[in-house]
Amino acid sequence: MADREDDAEGEAGVATKTRAKTQRPPLYKVLILNDDYTPMEFVVHVLERFFGMDHGQAFEIMLTVHKRGLAVVGVFSFEVAETKVAQVMDFSRRHQHPLQCTMEKE
């Protein structure tokens, strides 16, 4: 019987030693790129609709995109970032605007 108790403790010891530390998944930046054709109002609307910004925040980000050529509009997990990019690109195409949205690893 003593052997069985030792085995149980040994198994418990092994289980705690092999416990792997979980790592946070990598994050991805979603960026909007400037172009010469998409109206500024449309960019503001996209930022409000897909990124939950209020009008003031969206307007400031739109100006950053306009002046610097691009701006980070959010940081998300891979799946969320990929979905946001697809939503923005699809919405832009449906409204016949060439607005570009990309993502890159942070």
Side-chain angles (χ1 to χ4, degrees), residues 8-69:
E9 288 176 11
E11 289 175 12
V14 171
T16 56
K17 288 181 182 177
T18 59
R19 181 181 294 168
K21 288 188 176 182
T22 56
Q23 295 181 349
R24 291 182 183 260
L27 296 176
Y28 291 79
K29 297 184 283 190
V30 175
L31 303 110
I32 289 194
L33 309 175
N34 188 40
D35 64 70
D36 294 332
Y37 303 102
T38 304
M40 292 179 178
E41 296 82 18
F42 183 79
V43 176
V44 170
H45 179 68
V46 164
L47 294 171
E48 291 171 343
R49 179 172 179 161
F50 296 106
F51 298 96
M53 296 182 188
D54 64 34
H55 188 75
Q57 288 176 308
F59 190 81
E60 284 189 30
I61 296 290
M62 176 276 299
L63 285 178
T64 301
V65 171
H66 181 70
K67 291 176 183 176
R68 295 189 180 167

Side-chain angles (χ1 to χ4, degrees), residues 49-50 87-97:
R49 179 172 179 161
F50 296 106
Q87 288 174 329
V88 170
M89 295 295 288
D90 181 57
F91 189 73
S92 297
R93 297 301 162 266
R94 283 190 283 125
H95 289 85
Q96 299 178 347
H97 293 299

